[in-house]
């Protein structure tokens, strides 16, 4: 069960070949579960709606980059 504000961050795993000392933050976003009320199935965020991807100065993310979330709403009784 996920409620209220949810933060999702995506990292690139550190590489021993490149001698990186820590995982690198790539992008992330926040979703408030009240925004999902009445929606079912999927929420799609485009590149412009994703922190870190929207201001992609290194052009790591393709212009068509997006993230899709699949979810099942909780029944009303479970919310109480």
């Amino acid at each position: 069960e996920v409620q209220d504000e949810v933060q999702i961050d995506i990292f690139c795993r550190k590489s021993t070949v490149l001698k990186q000392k820590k995982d690198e933050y790539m992008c992330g976003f926040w979703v408030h579960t009240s925004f999902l009320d009445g929606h079912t199935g999927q929420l799609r965020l485009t590149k412009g709606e994703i922190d870190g991807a929207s201001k992609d100065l290194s052009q790591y993310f393709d212009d068509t980059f997006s993230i899709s979330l699949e979810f099942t709403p909780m029944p009303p009784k479970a919310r109480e």
Side-chain angles (χ1 to χ4, degrees), residues 61-74:
F61 299 97
D62 189 74
D63 289 340
T64 60
F65 177 76
S66 66
I67 294 176
S68 294
L69 301 175
E70 292 187 31
F71 60 93
T72 303
M74 293 183 348

Side-chain angles (χ1 to χ4, degrees), residues 1-28:
E1 173 183 331
V2 177
Q3 290 184 318
D4 299 323
E5 291 183 356
V6 178
Q7 179 181 10
I8 298 176
D9 289 328
I10 299 171
F11 290 82
C12 180
R13 184 151 255 199
K14 68 180 179 177
S15 169
T16 55
V17 175
L18 298 176
K19 298 185 181 184
Q20 294 172 317
K21 296 186 182 197
K22 62 181 185 173
D23 295 346
E24 179 184 0
Y25 172 81
M26 300 299 294
C27 62

